[in-house]
Amino acid sequence: MAWHALIDVSRESEEPLTAQIEGTLREEISTGVLRPGTPLPSSRQLAADLAVSRSVVVEAYGRLIAEGYLEAVRGSGTRVAAHLTPTPALPTLLDDGPVPPARWDLRTGTAHLAGFPHREWLASYQHAVRSAAPGTMDYPPLSGAAALREELARYLGRARGVLTTPGQVMAVSGFAQALGLLCAVLAEQGIDRLAMEDPCHHRQRQFVREVGLRPVAVPVDAEGLDVEALARTGARAVLVTPAHQFPTGATLSAARREALIRWARDQDAWIIEDDYDGDLWLEHGTRPPALQRLAPERVVYGGTASKSLAPGLRFGWLALPARLLAPVERMRSHRDLGSDVLTQLAFAAFLGAGHFDRHLRRQRARYRVRRESLEQSVRRFLPGVRTLGSAVGLHAYLRLPRRTDEAALVERALRRSVLVRGGRRYHARPEQAAPALVVGYTAVPRTGIAEALQELGTAYAELFAAGRADGCA
């Protein structure tokens, strides 16, 4: 393979050519410029590139192999030794650091990607590439390709009840980018605080703080966001998850929806609706329509393919009120030049052909079975624990008995190779929150859910035996 490598030699130097090549490679490897596993040109190719004898390169490579800097793999050539520096796990917006190894991973947001529609997505991507018109590969419109915005407007109206037009739809690289843009626009309008549900994802709260707004916690109960408490904060913008509150699973009641819209109109305020997993409504009957349709002039609707397809696509969308479209586009023009156009066109084809609807029906059927298995296992192995909220999405909120030591339960579960998160981490005041577990049920095999919950139940029983939960002597 004719790999390229940035290596140079000087014939004016008194240092031998072999030593120059050897020294350059050793330094680049030691400083991390050449990463473990990086392929290098063959000795013949590098000799030709540097106009030196092949024996010079062979000798340099041989010394570095002997010292452990390089490794020669039959059929694969010469590479930087893979053992030199272990590749660290890179953090994401939703991570808290290194993830401990466990047999059963019950964290949230870790969808089981075996159901990804590989064939349909590949066909859609091929269609996008083959049908691309002249100029398609130029910089895309800031709000996205026209074909995608048209398909999204149709889909959101049909499946979510969103009242919008193609001109008010924006394609984004996931909801994190969208939230950053919206916070910046809010700050321009003199809004320095963003009301957020309590509990909510703690890293999202941190993200809002880091992009320049002050998060204000507003309590959530079985009906969703407490609108009266919101009104007392004096905030003029709020971020909500009305279809499936994260993490409690509550669905915003009809009365609260109407109250929230009245608040927005009375206070000249903005509502950001994060419909992060509303595609995966598992309960019988139709999911509630988007909050946005009640006040399209006040509500920004945000959706994402992260939960329904794959987080790695980094693809999402906004339906913006007309008054916000120009400010958000202007803010985006300062930060990037639009999202990947081929992914946009592929998703437009994916939507237009009905693949997305068929995929969601299959996913809902899969996840419904998993959810039922989870609830049965909770009843069987975790006596006294209640599953709260609606059956939607990729996780369930398990309320523990009042005096349960949540942290101790999470620790004991990990000893039994079950990785699960406690609910208090998502509260603005963890010390005041009732103990709970937030359980993802889609990343483990279906048959593994009962096994994982059985091990979790054993850890739970150990707490009773140790006198660290309700019902203990």
Side-chain angles (χ1 to χ4, degrees):
M1 186 68 69
W3 303 108
H4 291 278
L6 191 64
I7 300 171
D8 198 8
V9 295
S10 171
R11 285 170 175 75
E12 305 299 324
S13 172
E14 296 180 358
E15 187 177 22
L17 295 175
T18 296
Q20 290 184 47
I21 296 172
E22 181 185 343
T24 298
L25 287 171
R26 185 184 291 109
E27 181 179 358
E28 297 291 81
I29 293 170
S30 298
T31 58
V33 174
L34 290 177
R35 304 290 301 157
T38 300
L40 296 178
S42 68
S43 57
R44 189 184 305 277
Q45 183 66 61
L46 184 57
D49 292 343
L50 299 179
V52 300
S53 169
R54 183 185 178 196
S55 63
V56 169
V57 178
V58 169
E59 185 178 357
Y61 277 6
R63 291 177 182 175
L64 291 171
I65 290 171
E67 294 175 13
Y69 284 94
L70 300 180
E71 56 188 10
V73 180
R74 184 179 296 276
S76 298
T78 304
R79 297 174 178 269
V80 178
H83 66 82
L84 291 176
T85 307
T87 303
L90 299 178
T92 69
L93 174 67
L94 303 182
D95 284 336
D96 289 312
V99 178
R103 181 180 178 187
W104 295 287
D105 187 349
L106 300 183
R107 290 175 301 150
T108 62
T110 50
H112 187 49
L113 299 183
F116 185 83
H118 295 87
R119 184 179 61 184
E120 294 89 345
W121 181 253
L122 178 60
S124 299
Y125 210 91
Q126 288 175 330
H127 174 80
V129 174
R130 290 170 179 164
S131 63
T136 297
M137 300 302 290
D138 202 348
Y139 293 108
L142 283 173
S143 286
L148 171 68
R149 298 167 77 185
E150 182 72 42
E151 289 292 349
L152 276 173
R154 291 172 181 162
Y155 172 76
L156 294 176
R158 169 173 58 81
R160 302 289 168 263
V162 173
L163 182 57
T164 191
T165 66
Q168 291 171 250
V169 173
M170 175 179 282
V172 291
S173 300
F175 187 73
Q177 183 197 32
L179 184 57
L181 291 170
L182 292 169
C183 285
V185 169
L186 292 176
E188 277 190 341
Q189 296 184 355
I191 297 174
D192 62 353
R193 291 176 291 169
L194 179 65
M196 302 182 71
E197 297 166 325
D198 185 23
C200 68
H201 203 292
H202 59 300
R203 290 301 300 274
Q204 199 170 63
R205 191 184 298 120
Q206 177 185 339
F207 177 78
V208 167
R209 186 179 296 111
E210 290 175 349
V211 298
L213 297 189
R214 180 163 65 90
V216 179
V218 180
V220 168
D221 59 24
E223 291 189 71
L225 184 81
D226 185 338
V227 182
E228 291 184 1
L230 169 64
R232 292 193 293 269
T233 67
R236 291 182 47 229
V238 61
L239 173 63
V240 293
T241 51
H244 188 225
Q245 201 279 327
F246 185 87
T248 68
T251 297
L252 194 65
S253 69
R256 294 279 178 87
R257 285 169 167 252
E258 294 174 0
L260 184 56
I261 297 302
R262 284 197 301 272
W263 166 84
R265 287 172 172 158
D266 292 345
Q267 300 300 317
D268 189 24
W270 297 109
I271 300 169
I272 303 173
E273 178 179 7
D274 180 7
D275 195 11
Y276 67 101
D277 66 354
D279 291 321
L280 300 170
W281 187 266
L282 308 182
E283 294 193 338
H284 296 293
T286 305
R287 59 155 274 172
L291 177 70
Q292 184 265 4
R293 73 176 296 154
L294 296 179
E297 80 286 359
R298 285 289 167 196
V299 182
V300 179
Y301 176 89
T304 174
S306 293
K307 305 299 185 291
S308 54
L309 281 172
L313 284 177
R314 304 312 310 132
F315 181 69
W317 47 85
L318 292 175
L320 292 158
R323 284 172 50 200
L324 283 184
L325 182 62
V328 173
E329 282 194 330
R330 185 174 62 252
M331 183 61 64
R332 186 167 191 180
S333 70
H334 300 323
R335 300 189 175 196
D336 65 43
L337 296 176
S339 301
D340 166 24
V341 70
L342 285 178
T343 299
Q344 292 182 45
L345 295 177
F347 194 76
F350 194 71
L351 275 175
H355 295 320
F356 192 49
D357 287 80
R358 285 190 287 273
H359 167 70
L360 290 177
R361 289 184 183 278
R362 291 193 298 266
Q363 289 295 77
R364 284 193 288 264
R366 292 188 187 103
Y367 292 161
R368 191 172 289 116
V369 172
R370 290 168 179 269
R371 177 80 182 208
E372 291 171 356
S373 177
L374 174 74
E375 293 180 353
Q376 291 171 4
S377 298
V378 169
R379 290 192 293 269
R380 181 178 178 185
F381 301 119
L382 295 169
V385 174
R386 292 185 296 131
T387 304
L388 303 185
S390 302
V392 186
L394 311 180
H395 77 275
Y397 193 77
L398 307 185
R399 175 65 57 79
L400 301 170
R402 186 170 52 88
R403 292 196 299 274
T404 304
D405 188 333
E406 178 189 294
L409 178 56
V410 169
E411 181 182 353
R412 286 176 181 268
L414 186 57
R415 292 180 198 166
R416 307 193 71 84
S417 206
V418 178
L419 179 57
V420 67
R421 301 305 193 196
R424 282 177 170 150
R425 68 191 295 137
Y426 302 110
H427 286 261
R429 298 177 180 82
E431 70 282 355
Q432 298 179 12
L437 296 177
V438 183
V439 178
Y441 50 84
T442 59
V444 296
R446 181 175 60 84
T447 55
I449 294 175
E451 296 178 40
L453 267 291
Q454 184 173 9
E455 293 294 335
L456 182 59
T458 300
Y460 179 67
E462 290 174 352
L463 283 187
F464 279 89
R468 300 171 74 177
D470 279 347
C472 305

